[in-house]
């Protein structure tokens, strides 16, 4: 028998953007419901075990990690840092990021939603949405194996893949070449205690094997997740040598190829690299890490020029400091930087549907070009767009003006 629920705000997706959106709406005194397809929170941060939060700090080569974000994004980052017992790291190019513990991320998300009395439905899959007069009036889901219809005032899509826009047959921003996917896995029993040295040893052994035709060329797409070498365990990221198309069966193909890659690479390291001689695979992230996907069409589409020219907007709601980071089917990443301590803004118009009055979006599926989302997709920015979308959606549900809500977000985040 189908259950019917009523809520002011429905949030789809419990990743960083979804958590921020739910908290923001709840802080406006509204009833908030969140549906999550996994049995835990965190989105790609925990399911794909990304390992670092990017986009929190200014781009700077001075070695000091200075926060660029304010408001909820800052609160979340500080709580995660303390709970994970980590400190920010940086590389020679001036990029700063925060390593985190996967379980700490999950527990922090759960605590925040509990404190703000957000109703959560795990293992929930969207089946359809009902629209009337250019509004979405309800969403039908299967939650825990049971049918559930949720009547709502405003809806926020934080799925990362524009699930709501797809279900409502709304226009989508697509591309033929989505960024390459990655798989994270952890090995235990590693005897080297210096992360930099371990990376050099591993890369040298893999390169020699490729040169000797022992390993295929794509095996050079292996990286250590920085800050992950602890207690004789290290997390490795591999670039999957298969295009992301989102065609039927593509996700399963990616997972199958990734599993084979992990098996073969781990056996090679155990047999050929002394630091891995007594190691074994401890854990494989449950999801493949996809970086970009289909985006929703909003009142404005963020562009590559907006990012690289560090554009500010009258309705700007987020401080974005991460460069354009593109991962193709080659080993080296393509980075497009702007000046140190500079930033661009994400406008509120990227977070509201151009077709449906009460539909908002945040995170990886905001209205942005493929180049622009290659910057705006990182978690530090997703936390900000999520919080802004939650505030905007709450204003819509309460009958308050969007301009008033934008000014509120700007006061908190800018």
């Amino acid at each position: 028998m189908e259950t019917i629920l009523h809520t002011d705000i429905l949030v789809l997706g419990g990743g960083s953007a979804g958590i921020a959106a739910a908290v923001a709406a709840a802080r406006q005194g509204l009833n908030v419901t969140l549906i999550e397809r996994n049995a835990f929170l965190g989105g790609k941060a925990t399911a794909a075990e990304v390992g670092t939060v990017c986009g929190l700090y200014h781009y700077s080569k001075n070695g000091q990690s200075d926060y660029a974000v304010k408001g909820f994004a800052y609160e979340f980052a500080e709580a995660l840092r303390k709970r994970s017992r980590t400190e920010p790291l940086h590389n020679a190019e001036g990029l700063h990021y925060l390593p985190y513990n996967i379980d700490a991320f999950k527990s922090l998300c759960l605590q925040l939603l509990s404190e703000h009395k957000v109703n959560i439905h795990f293992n929930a899959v969207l089946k359809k949405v009902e629209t009337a007069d250019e509004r979405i009036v309800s969403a039908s889901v299967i939650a825990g194996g049971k049918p559930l219809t949720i009547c709502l005032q405003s809806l926020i899509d934080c799925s990362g893949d524009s699930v709501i826009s797809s279900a409502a047959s709304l226009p989508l921003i697509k591309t033929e070449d989505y960024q390459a996917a990655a798989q994270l896995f952890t090995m235990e029993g590693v005897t080297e205690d210096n992360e930099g040295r371990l990376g050099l040893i591993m890369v040298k052994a893999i390169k020699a094997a490729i040169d000797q035709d022992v390993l295929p060329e794509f095996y050079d797409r292996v990286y250590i997740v920085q800050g992950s070498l602890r207690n004789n365990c290290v997390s490795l990221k591999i670039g999957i040598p298969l295009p992301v198309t989102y065609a039927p069966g593509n996700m399963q193909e990616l997972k199958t190829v990734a599993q084979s890659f992990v098996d073969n690479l781990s056996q090679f390291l155990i047999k050929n690299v002394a630091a891995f001689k007594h190691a074994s695979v401890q854990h494989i992230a449950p999801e493949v890490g996809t970086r970009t996907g289909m985006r929703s069409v909003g009142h404005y589409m963020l562009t590559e020029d907006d990012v690289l020219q560090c554009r500010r907007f009258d309705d700007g709601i987020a401080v974005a400091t991460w460069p354009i980071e593109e991962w193709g089917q080659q080993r080296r990443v393509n980075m497009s930087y702007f000046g140190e301590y500079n930033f661009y803004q994400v406008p509120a118009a990227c977070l509201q549907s151009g077709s449906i009055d009460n539909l908002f979006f945040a995170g990886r599926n905001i209205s942005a070009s493929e180049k622009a989302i290659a910057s705006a997709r990182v978690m530090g920015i997703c936390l900000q767009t999520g919080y802004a979308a939650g505030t905007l959606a709450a204003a819509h549900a309460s009958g308050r003006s969007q301009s008033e809500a934008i000014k509120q977000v700007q006061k908190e985040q800018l």
Side-chain angles (χ1 to χ4, degrees):
M1 189 176 197
E2 188 172 37
T3 302
I4 299 177
L5 298 179
H6 294 265
T7 190
D8 295 321
I9 309 293
L10 176 61
V11 179
L12 177 65
S16 54
I19 299 301
V23 169
R27 286 181 177 178
Q28 301 303 308
L30 299 186
N31 178 271
V32 182
T33 300
L34 182 143
I35 58 176
E36 166 55 45
R37 62 187 177 86
N38 290 315
F40 52 87
L41 298 169
K44 291 296 183 186
T46 54
E49 301 183 1
V50 176
T52 54
V53 181
C54 302
L56 295 170
Y57 310 102
H58 283 289
Y59 166 55
S60 166
K61 296 183 180 180
N62 70 9
Q64 182 174 328
S65 299
D66 298 318
Y67 273 108
V69 301
K70 297 181 179 179
F72 178 77
Y74 172 81
E75 296 172 30
F76 186 93
E78 277 295 282
L80 181 62
R81 179 184 66 80
K82 293 173 183 176
R83 191 171 294 218
S84 299
R85 298 181 180 179
T86 58
E87 294 297 333
L89 300 174
H90 65 276
N91 63 17
E93 284 71 40
L95 297 178
H96 299 249
Y97 32 83
L98 179 67
Y100 63 86
N101 176 273
I102 304 299
D103 290 331
F105 201 110
K106 289 179 182 178
S107 64
L108 176 59
C109 291
L110 192 59
Q111 178 183 320
L112 285 167
L113 295 194
S114 177
E115 289 175 349
H116 289 84
K117 297 180 172 56
V118 174
N119 305 302
I120 313 171
H121 293 276
F122 290 109
N123 300 308
V125 179
L126 181 79
K127 302 303 291 182
K128 65 177 181 177
V129 294
E130 293 290 341
T131 60
D133 300 323
E134 296 183 343
R135 295 180 68 254
I136 294 176
V137 294
S138 68
S140 298
V141 304
I142 303 295
K146 298 179 181 179
L148 176 66
T149 295
I150 305 172
C151 301
L152 55 97
Q153 295 299 315
S154 293
L155 176 58
I156 311 171
D157 187 350
C158 300
S159 65
D161 298 308
S162 296
V163 169
I164 299 298
S165 292
S166 296
S169 300
L170 301 178
L172 292 167
I173 302 168
K174 301 179 180 179
T175 183
E176 292 182 0
D177 299 309
Y178 294 104
Q179 289 204 34
Q183 177 71 59
L184 272 288
F185 69 102
T186 301
M187 296 191 72
E188 60 184 355
V190 179
T191 55
E192 176 58 62
D193 60 4
N194 182 285
E195 194 171 275
R197 190 161 53 235
L198 179 64
L200 290 173
I201 293 169
M202 183 179 70
V203 168
K204 184 177 179 181
I206 291 172
K207 185 179 185 305
I210 292 172
D211 290 343
Q212 297 165 15
D213 292 326
V214 174
L215 290 177
E217 188 174 354
F218 64 78
Y219 273 73
D220 68 351
R221 305 173 195 178
V222 182
Y223 306 85
I224 290 178
V225 177
Q226 289 197 301
S228 68
L229 181 58
R230 292 183 179 184
N231 302 319
N232 302 109
C233 295
V234 69
S235 294
L236 303 178
K237 178 191 295 186
I238 56 173
I240 304 173
L242 186 72
V244 178
T245 65
Y246 291 99
N250 180 234
M251 289 299 107
Q252 184 54 52
E253 291 173 352
L254 288 166
K255 194 164 186 174
T256 300
V257 171
Q259 180 66 59
S260 175
F261 197 158
V262 170
D263 291 344
N264 294 336
L265 175 64
S266 59
Q267 287 305 308
F268 169 81
L269 293 174
I270 291 167
K271 291 179 181 177
N272 297 278
V273 181
F276 290 92
K277 184 177 180 180
H278 303 292
S280 60
V281 175
Q282 179 199 66
H283 175 72
I284 302 175
E287 282 188 14
V288 167
T290 50
R291 295 180 170 95
T292 59
M294 294 179 288
R295 276 92 60 208
S296 303
V297 176
H299 288 294
Y300 180 80
M301 184 176 74
L302 189 71
T303 68
E304 177 184 10
D305 284 346
D306 293 334
V307 175
L308 295 181
Q309 293 176 15
C310 294
R311 185 175 174 189
R312 304 333 193 238
F313 295 85
D314 291 340
D315 64 339
I317 47 77
V319 173
T321 62
W322 199 254
I324 294 175
E325 177 185 356
E326 300 173 277
W327 291 88
Q329 288 296 329
Q330 69 280 353
R331 185 180 191 276
R332 298 192 66 83
V333 62
N334 182 34
M335 306 291 289
S336 300
Y337 296 93
F338 36 81
E340 288 186 68
Y341 279 95
N342 213 338
F343 62 90
Y344 66 95
Q345 291 177 342
V346 178
C350 291
L351 312 184
Q352 184 171 23
S353 170
S355 309
I356 300 292
D357 287 346
N358 66 337
L359 173 59
F360 301 82
F361 17 79
R364 296 192 312 156
N365 52 224
I366 63 170
S367 182
S369 70
E370 185 71 10
K371 292 275 189 179
I373 203 64
S375 164
R377 67 179 176 80
V378 297
M379 277 186 268
I381 303 174
C382 290
L383 287 164
Q384 295 176 80
T385 59
Y387 196 86
T391 306
L392 295 171
H396 187 281
S398 304
R400 293 191 294 118
S401 72
Q402 291 294 288
S403 59
E404 180 185 341
I406 290 169
K407 289 178 182 177
Q408 179 184 341
V409 174
Q410 291 176 332
K411 185 177 180 180
E412 293 186 58
Q413 296 199 148
L414 304 189

